[in-house]
Amino acid sequence: MEPIFVGKGIEYRIEFENYVKFLKERLTPKRFYHSLAVAKEALRLAEKYGCDTKKAFLAGLLHDVCKDDEPNSQLQILNDFGIMIDTVTKNTRKLWHARAGAVYLKEKLGIEDAEIISAVQYHTTAKANMSLLEQILYLADFTSEERDYPGVDDMRKAVDISLEHAMREALIFTVVDLTEKGMAIHNDTMEAYREIVKN
Ligand code: DGI
Ligand code: FE
Ligand code: FE
C-alpha cells in the first residue's frame, strides 16, 4: 500500500523508484507507508512555504530508513563511523534511528546534501535554529496522512497556519507528553522548545 501522490509527487515517486524499492525491502509495511506519506506531506509543505520540493520529498522518504533495524545495529553504525552520542541519547532508544539514519544516508547511500542529512538527524528531537527543510521534515512527520493520535487534527490545522505556529504546537505537545510519561528530554528538544515558547 502506498499513499496516492499528486503533482510533483508523481514525478519524484518515479525518480526515486530505487529508494522506494529499497525501503520496501527494508521496512515494515506500516513504516514503508509512513515514509511515503511523510515524503508526500513534506513536498506539500515545501510548496506551501517555498522550500526545495525535491529535497523535502527525499528527506521525507528516507527519514526513518534505520527505524526498523535492530537497536544494536543502529548503535553499530554510529560506532562504525565514530559518532559520539551524549548520555540522554545513549539511554533513549527512540533517538538512535535519527542519528543512525543521518549516517546511513551519508555513508551507505552516498547522499551528500548536508541539508537533507541534517533534517534526518534532527527529525526526532528538533533543535534550536532549525532550517526551513528541518522544520518541514519535523512537522511532516507529525501531520502525514496516516498519523492518528489525539490532537492530530489540531496539528494539521497548525501546519497550514504557519511553520512557526506549528513548531510551537508540536514542541509543546512533545515536551508535555514526555514530561507526563516521565521520560528524559533531550537537550536539543529543550533548546528548540525554549527558543520558540518564550512565554
Ligand atoms: O520515527 P517516528 O515514529 O515516525 O517519529 P519520531 O522520529 O519523531 O519519533 C517520535 C518519538 O520520539 C516520540 O515517541 C517522542 C520521542 N522523542 C522525541 N524527542 C524526544 C523523544 N523521546 C525522548 N525520550 N526525549 C526527547 O527529547
Ligand atoms: Fe523517526
Ligand atoms: Fe517518521
Side-chain angles (χ1 to χ4, degrees):
M1 276 280 284
E2 289 187 25
I4 295 164
F5 289 105
V6 292
K8 282 184 183 163
I10 298 170
E11 198 183 297
Y12 295 155
R13 164 70 182 78
I14 295 165
E15 181 172 345
F16 296 122
E17 173 68 21
N18 286 349
Y19 286 140
V20 173
K21 274 193 184 147
F22 165 77
L23 290 171
K24 194 169 188 162
E25 301 273 291
R26 210 181 146 77
L27 302 175
T28 62
K30 209 174 147 192
R31 183 67 42 189
F32 174 70
Y33 191 99
H34 167 71
S35 299
L36 292 168
V38 173
K40 178 181 173 181
E41 174 70 350
L43 163 59
R44 186 183 77 84
L45 295 177
E47 275 179 335
K48 187 174 169 77
Y49 293 111
C51 187
D52 186 311
T53 53
K54 195 184 279 192
K55 285 190 191 192
F57 186 96
L58 189 55
L61 187 64
L62 295 172
H63 79 288
D64 275 340
V65 65
C66 290
K67 179 96 179 186
D68 292 335
D69 292 355
E70 288 297 323
N72 274 343
S73 76
Q74 295 178 20
L75 276 189
Q76 190 62 47
I77 186 172
L78 297 176
N79 231 0
D80 288 349
F81 292 96
I83 309 293
M84 305 288 286
I85 50 173
D86 55 79
T87 312
V88 172
T89 304
K90 199 187 283 178
N91 293 332
T92 312
R93 271 190 194 191
K94 277 194 177 167
L95 304 183
W96 299 352
H97 77 284
R99 296 302 304 271
V103 176
Y104 197 97
L105 260 63
K106 185 161 183 249
E107 307 290 353
K108 306 272 188 185
L109 299 180
I111 290 172
E112 286 173 356
D113 189 300
E115 289 181 9
I116 294 177
I117 292 166
S118 182
V120 170
Q121 177 167 344
Y122 293 105
H123 87 265
T124 304
T125 56
K127 71 182 189 81
N129 253 313
M130 288 168 91
S131 69
L132 190 55
L133 186 66
E134 286 163 349
Q135 293 180 51
I136 282 173
L137 178 58
Y138 181 74
L139 292 169
D141 204 10
F142 271 83
T143 56
S144 58
E145 65 185 38
E146 88 302 346
R147 284 291 201 204
D148 182 19
Y149 55 87
V152 69
D153 290 336
D154 288 339
M155 273 309 302
R156 292 201 174 108
K157 282 182 198 140
V159 91
D160 281 331
I161 293 170
S162 76
L163 288 181
E164 194 184 348
H165 175 67
M167 285 302 299
R168 194 171 190 278
E169 294 297 304
L171 285 162
I172 292 172
F173 179 92
T174 299
V175 170
V176 168
D177 185 54
L178 292 172
T179 305
E180 278 175 2
K181 290 176 179 156
M183 290 164 85
I185 300 179
H186 193 274
N187 196 42
D188 289 336
T189 309
M190 240 17 256
E191 283 182 10
Y193 176 83
R194 283 199 205 98
E195 178 187 59
I196 205 155
V197 185
K198 288 178 184 110
N199 46 49

